[in-house]
């Protein structure tokens, strides 16, 4: 691909549009009127629009003048014509010259119009992205990732074509006036019959344009929902039903009606004009008829097609502009310089004075919606403030307030401008580990290696295929939770800021690594920085300078550890006193040689990439197919559109319509010739032209009856053809969408590991959008025009067989030219499809990590990345645009040659062949219509194949190999599993065929109702055990549950009987009720009881809409702990006999941790529970602990017995946690052991 010119680059275009938009915003001030994006765009495009207006005017003038010379040339072939042969050659020359001029301006007009459309699309996309970076917290609740992606994928695409058709909104009415005047001169008042038909068509199309706008807006909203649901499905893999097709169906049939009207406009107008003219007692002549037909053809194209398309494009663009403006008008985050509550602190001090804050707007100084109330704190450089408190007390909101992310703040915040932030759920972007850590700053190897060591990432990088150059995938899918947390912390350390806001980075790692991070990283590396640490790890509190205890958004305690212990507040119930620990981590400055190896004990890997050493890295680049669109793609498309009999009916109707059209035109020429001949004979018999014409014996009624019947059947069959064509297209789009949706939902987990969200969303947004909007029109257009061209060539050749001498070589040239063009355009179109995805992925990732981006002030870097993605797509789009225009120019020269041959050939053969005026007029009118129809039809055939690449891409995802069947012949008993007995017999697991084995020959038995902890170091295979049990990847060997082999069960029967509480809670947009009970299987009482069990009943009761409270996208209006409790309540409602817990307590406080553990023991007492451990204290009171190492079971026994092994793996893991923690863990195991033996 070639580099873009500066004026076509995203940065330049967005700057220009943003400058004009900002002028409107600032000019508005306090005015009630909102700024108009339409006016801003008008100022942006008016010069180019004026230029293209001049070009299209020249072309349309040529098209109107040409029929005048055609009419005169036809007169040459009439009986007793007074036109000389020299005059005939002059007319033929003018016709060819006008054709050349029209061709010369036609393609520059479309080139500049489409280039302008591309520039507007790019500028609006850049403006949308820049706006996304500024959205406030309130604005983020009013929009979704799905809506933003839809704006970028569908709405801005309306601008690509609108400038090509908008001129016809004013050109068509002017043409109508000029054509009416010319026809009045020749046909008198009779022409008003045909013109009335044209006017009626315009009015109907205008009405359709309004309906397009209505359905477009409804469809866009439904598409927003569909893309948002798909985004959540990809993230959480749950089944959501999608409903959008009804609005698309109505919109598509409106488009079909447009094409039906277009095709029959000339026939209807000609029929009305000539029948009225004949019934009025006038004689039809070739001169009059073949002046009217080419002029009606011009109106048919401009008024019958381009005008309604222009109206449709403009109305849809207005809707898109309205939606874009609504997005641009969303509230922005207040700039630091404009924020009166935030002040710059130059000495690295953080000072918060009487701060109250809300995520919503506050009308006064007090609000029931305030999440922070009268918070005050003061931290100097070199101090650590620990923020603790129960779930939902406002800890994370405090950090947001300090960063200025909350909507309304009362009070004062003094903070340095240079601050670093790590989020509770680490924000990992697609790219390499190095890119995620360096985050736009220059790479310094020594500094980078030091950060890697400080953040305990050395050993993790050793097992990754390319160390820090390893691609982590969308949202870090190839990393474990602990690795994500440490990369987020490493990013903050590498940035070397003045203040560090750390939102619970220690929960996702085990005790040993957590201690290393706290002492080596936070206390040592950041010893000169002001650090605010939100944590649930109470064992570190005696080593921080100050502690802030929060409850219900207020300060429950503030001071040093000793001050809080000696104070009168109930601090002891929240924070258990920690005895001083004399181990290697006791001193403030840790010696380097005391932590030569820091091992991550319990990070649970999320994918194969993070758990196997030295694996070959997956290629994440999207594949591009080459060569022709296979016949199988067309076959799949049409079979998805209808049955075999329906397709046969479609073919028959198409051939019948074209045959009727050619027959109707031939009948008109036959009628004209016979009447003209009868008239000439009448005047010859009467020897003068003054005889009374009423005595002429010519029965035109018979001709009118046949003409009327042919026209009526033609119109009826044409609408039937349009109906069948668009029915096939809509059915194909709907069925292939549903097939792809089912394939994605049924795809194995590995599919989502190697395909980013943006790539999948691109299939559902852009490719399905093309199949809904463009492919039906293009398919119908191609079929109609292709048959029309074939009919024209055959008809002309019948009247003038010598034309075949030229048609054959022209046809061969055309075939070669089309094949040559398609080889290029097809691959360009595929490349264009591939280069679309990164922009969507980048926008989605940006919105998900918006707080992190703004905290580090790397917005400009992300804007540059987005603009690079846009420019890559623009390069492919420009190639497609330029190549298609060049192809059109070549085709027009072929058609120009054909017109010249027909025109001059008719004159040359007039003496040697019996050419009458009717046949010549028909041939010339056909040849002129071919000038537009042929090149349009061929370009549409190429466009059809290019659009079929979208179908090819959709079919590619429908063919994704699915998981095992949901149902099988083996149906377990209704109460299965009754006991929850799990047996592994020689079980091994690889995530894909030929992949490395991650579980190796497992033999063990988990007893009924037994509570088993699963532990091991990073890469041991802990999560792979869950993968095998749920058959997310198919294991070998046998896994039996209550004696039933899970391999023989359908996945539905297996998975519905196993509950999972994941580490990262999966929450969907919608009501709280829907999140708890998505399939409406439980009563209201059951739902409230489940919430009470997890102590969320009081919180939910305080919501104004109670159980119907709407949850934001990703559950952002709930704290992470509340989301986790919601998942626990969901598991309680399911009441299964087997529960798998993937460290559900990593992101909650100690009290909530105890609540969850208590609830699990109480509500799942009769269940078999497998707990994948990140922290040993979570599983030390289990009945047994299973230790994995490199995919093998190395220990499996009661925890107390395992701790008796001096060199045991569990013993080593416990001893590495520190002397005091080890004693505590041993005590728990001992107490559990002896209580079970009583």
């Amino acid at each position: 691909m070639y580099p873009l010119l500066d004026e076509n680059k995203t940065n330049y275009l967005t700057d220009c549009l943003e400058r004009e938009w900002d002028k409107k915003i600032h000019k508005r001030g306090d005015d009630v009127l909102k700024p108009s994006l339409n006016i801003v765009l008008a100022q942006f495009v008016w010069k180019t629009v004026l230029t293209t207006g001049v070009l299209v005017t020249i072309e349309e003038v040529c098209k109107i003048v040409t029929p005048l010379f055609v009419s005169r040339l036809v007169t040459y072939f009439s009986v007793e014509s007074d036109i000389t042969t020299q005059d005939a050659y002059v007319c033929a020359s003018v016709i060819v010259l006008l054709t050349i001029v029209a061709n010369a301006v036609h393609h520059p007009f479309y080139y500049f119009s489409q280039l302008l459309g591309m520039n507007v699309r790019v500028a609006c996309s850049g403006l949308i992205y820049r706006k996304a970076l500024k959205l406030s917290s309130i604005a983020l609740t009013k929009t979704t990732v799905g809506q933003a992606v839809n704006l970028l994928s569908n709405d801005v695409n309306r601008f690509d074509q609108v400038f090509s058709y908008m001129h016809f909104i004013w050109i068509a009415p002017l043409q109508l006036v000029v054509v009416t005047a010319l026809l009045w001169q020749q046909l008198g008042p009779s022409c008003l019959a045909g013109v009335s038909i044209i006017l009626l068509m315009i009015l109907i199309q205008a009405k359709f344009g309004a309906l397009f706008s209505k359905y477009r807006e409804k469809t866009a909203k439904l598409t927003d929902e569909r893309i948002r649901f798909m985004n959540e499905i990809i993230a959480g893999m749950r089944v959501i039903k999608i409903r959008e097709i009804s609005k698309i169906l109505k919109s598509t049939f409106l488009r079909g009606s447009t094409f039906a009207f277009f095709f029959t406009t000339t026939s209807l107008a000609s029929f009305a004009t000539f029948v009225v003219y004949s019934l009025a007692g006038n004689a039809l002549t070739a001169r009059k008829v073949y002046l009217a037909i080419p002029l009606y053809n011009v109106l048919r194209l401009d008024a019958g097609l381009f005008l309604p398309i222009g109206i449709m494009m403009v109305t849809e663009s207005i809707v898109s502009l309205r939606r874009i403006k609504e997005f641009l008008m969303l509230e922005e985050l207040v700039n630091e310089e404009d924020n009166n509550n935030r002040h710059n602190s130059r000495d690295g001090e953080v000072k918060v004075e009487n701060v109250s804050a809300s995520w919503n707007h506050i009308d006064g100084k007090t609000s029931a919606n305030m999440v922070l109330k009268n918070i005050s704190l003061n931290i100097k450089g070199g101090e650590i403030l620990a923020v603790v408190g129960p779930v939902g007390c406002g800890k994370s909101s405090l950090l947001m307030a300090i960063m200025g992310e909350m909507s309304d703040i009362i009070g004062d915040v003094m903070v340095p401008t240079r601050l670093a932030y790590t989020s509770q759920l680490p924000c990992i972007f697609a790219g390499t580990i190095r890119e995620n850590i360096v985050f736009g700053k220059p790479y310094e190897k020594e500094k980078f290696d030091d950060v890697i060591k400080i953040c305990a990432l050395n050993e993790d990088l050793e097992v990754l295929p390319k160390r820090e150059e390893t691609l982590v995938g969308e949202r870090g899918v190839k990393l474990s939770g602990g690795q994500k947390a440490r990369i987020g912390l490493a990013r903050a350390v590498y940035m070397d800021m003045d203040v560090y806001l750390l939102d619970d980075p220690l929960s996702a790692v085990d005790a040993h690594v957590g201690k290393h991070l706290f002492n080596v990283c936070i206390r040592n590396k950041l010893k000169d920085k002001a650090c605010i640490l939100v944590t649930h790890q109470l064992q570190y509190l005696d080593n921080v300078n100050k502690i802030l205890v929060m409850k219900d958004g207020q300060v429950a305690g503030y001071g040093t550890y000793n001050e809080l212990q000696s104070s009168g507040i109930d601090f002891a119930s929240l924070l258990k006193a920690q005895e001083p620990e004399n181990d290697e981590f006791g001193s403030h400055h840790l010696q380097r040689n005391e932590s030569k190896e820091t091992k991550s004990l319990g990070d649970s890997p999320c994918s194969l990439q993070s758990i196997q050493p030295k694996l070959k890295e997956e290629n994440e680049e999207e594949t591009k197919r080459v060569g022709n669109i296979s016949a199988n793609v067309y076959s799949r498309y049409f079979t998805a559109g209808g049955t075999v009999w329906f397709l046969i009916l479609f073919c028959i109707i198409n051939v019948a319509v074209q045959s009727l059209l050619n027959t109707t035109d031939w009948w008109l020429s036959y009628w004209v010739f016979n009447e003209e001949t009868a008239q000439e004979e009448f005047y010859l018999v009467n020897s003068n032209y003054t005889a009374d014409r009423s005595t002429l014996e010519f029965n035109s009624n018979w001709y009118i009856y046949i003409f009327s019947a042919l026209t009526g059947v033609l119109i009826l069959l044409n609408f039937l053809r349009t109906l069948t064509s668009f029915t096939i297209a809509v059915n194909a789009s709907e069925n292939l969408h549903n097939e792809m949706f089912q394939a994605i939902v049924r795809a194995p987990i590995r599919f989502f590991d190697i395909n980013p969200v943006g790539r999948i969303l691109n299939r559902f947004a852009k490719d399905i959008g093309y199949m809904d909007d463009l492919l039906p029109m293009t398919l119908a257009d191609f079929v109609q025009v292709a048959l029309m061209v074939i009919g024209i060539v055959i008809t002309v050749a019948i009247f003038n067989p010598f034309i075949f001498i030229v048609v054959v070589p022209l046809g061969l040239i055309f075939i070669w030219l089309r094949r040559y063009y398609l080889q290029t355009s097809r691959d360009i179109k595929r490349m264009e499809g591939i280069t679309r995805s990164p922009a969507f992925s980048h926008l989605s990732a940006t919105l998900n990590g918006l707080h992190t981006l703004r905290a580090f002030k790397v917005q400009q870097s992300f804007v540059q990345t987005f603009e690079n993605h846009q420019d890559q797509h623009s390069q492919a789009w420009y190639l497609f645009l330029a190549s298609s225009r060049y192809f059109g120019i070549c085709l027009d020269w072929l058609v120009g040659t054909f017109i010249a041959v027909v025109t001059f050939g008719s004159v040359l053969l007039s003496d040697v062949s019996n050419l009458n005026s009717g046949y010549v007029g028909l041939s010339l009118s056909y040849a002129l219509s071919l000038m537009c129809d042929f090149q349009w039809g061929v370009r549409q055939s190429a466009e059809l194949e290019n659009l079929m690449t979208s179908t090819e891409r959709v079919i590619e995802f429908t063919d994704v190999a699915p998981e095992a069947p949901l149902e099988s012949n083996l149906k377990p008993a209704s109460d299965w599993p009754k006991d929850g007995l799990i047996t592994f017999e020689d079980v091994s697991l690889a995530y894909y065929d030929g992949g490395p084995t991650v579980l190796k020959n497992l033999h063990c038995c988990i007893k009924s109702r037994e509570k088993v902890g699963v532990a091991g170091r990073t890469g041991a295979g802990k999560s792979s055990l869950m993968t095998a049990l749920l058959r997310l990847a198919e294991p070998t060997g046998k896994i039996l549950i209550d004696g039933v082999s899970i391999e023989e069960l359908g996945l539905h029967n297996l998975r519905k009987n196993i509950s999972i509480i994941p580490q990262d809670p999966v929450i969907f947009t919608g009501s709280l009720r829907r999140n708890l009970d998505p399939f409406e299987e439980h009563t209201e009482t059951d739902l409230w009881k489940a919430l009470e069990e997890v102590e969320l009943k009081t919180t939910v009761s305080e919501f104004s809409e109670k159980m119907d409270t709407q949850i934001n996208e990703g559950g952002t209006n709930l704290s992470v702990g509340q989301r986790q409790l919601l998942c626990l309540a969901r598991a309680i409602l399911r009441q299964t006999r087997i529960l798998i817990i993937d460290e559900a307590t990593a992101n909650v406080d100690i009290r909530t941790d105890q609540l969850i553990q208590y609830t699990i023991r109480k509500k799942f007492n009769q269940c078999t529970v497998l707990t994948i451990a990140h922290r040993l204290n979570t599983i030390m009171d289990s009945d047994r602990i299973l230790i994995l190492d490199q995919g093998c079971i190395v220990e499996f026994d009661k925890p107390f017995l395992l701790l008796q092994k001096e060199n045991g793996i569990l013993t080593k893991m416990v001893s590495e946690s520190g002397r005091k923690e080890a004693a505590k863990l041993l005590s728990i195991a001992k107490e559990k052991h002896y209580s079970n033996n009583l």
Side-chain angles (χ1 to χ4, degrees), residues 82 97 205 331 376 537 582 827 835 924 943 953 1069 1106 1148-1149 1217:
D82 59 351
L97 180 63
Q205 303 297 7
E331 182 179 313
S376 295
Q537 314 299 310
N582 298 318
D827 283 342
T835 53
L924 288 175
E943 182 65 13
R953 285 157 57 82
T1069 306
K1106 304 292 190 294
V1148 298
D1149 61 276
S1217 65

Side-chain angles (χ1 to χ4, degrees), residues 887-1018:
F887 181 54
I889 290 172
C890 295
L891 289 179
D892 277 352
W893 280 108
L894 288 179
V895 173
T897 303
F898 181 75
I899 291 174
V901 170
V902 171
T903 306
F904 285 105
S906 298
V907 179
L908 287 171
L909 294 174
S910 60
D911 296 330
V912 297
S913 178
N914 186 23
L915 292 178
N916 64 61
S917 58
Y919 294 161
V920 171
L922 182 60
S923 299
L924 288 175
S925 65
Y926 269 178
L928 287 177
S929 66
L930 196 65
M931 182 175 71
C932 294
D933 291 337
F934 179 69
Q935 71 94 12
W936 177 252
V938 175
R939 288 183 61 243
Q940 286 298 82
S941 73
E943 182 65 13
L944 176 64
E945 186 147 354
N946 289 331
L947 287 173
M948 286 301 290
T949 59
S950 289
T951 305
E952 180 185 51
R953 285 157 57 82
V954 168
I955 289 175
E956 180 185 356
F957 270 21
T958 65
D959 294 336
V960 171
E963 295 180 297
L966 293 175
E967 304 289 344
S968 69
N969 294 329
L970 177 62
K971 305 292 183 184
S974 58
D975 61 347
W976 179 90
K978 188 175 183 180
D979 301 316
L981 176 66
I982 305 173
T983 306
F984 293 84
E985 296 180 357
D986 196 26
V987 173
S988 298
L989 177 71
Y991 277 82
Y992 58 96
D993 292 339
T997 304
V998 293
L999 293 179
K1000 303 170 186 174
N1001 310 113
L1002 302 188
H1003 288 271
C1004 67
C1005 178
I1006 298 172
K1007 301 173 186 177
S1008 173
R1009 301 176 180 81
E1010 191 173 26
K1011 310 299 182 284
V1012 174
V1014 182
R1017 302 184 187 279
T1018 297

Side-chain angles (χ1 to χ4, degrees), residues 319-336:
V319 172
S320 295
L321 282 173
R322 187 186 311 134
R323 284 165 48 82
I324 293 171
K325 188 181 82 170
E326 288 173 0
F327 185 83
L328 295 177
M329 292 301 294
L330 289 174
E331 182 179 313
E332 294 185 5
L333 194 69
V334 180
N335 292 327
E336 291 186 8

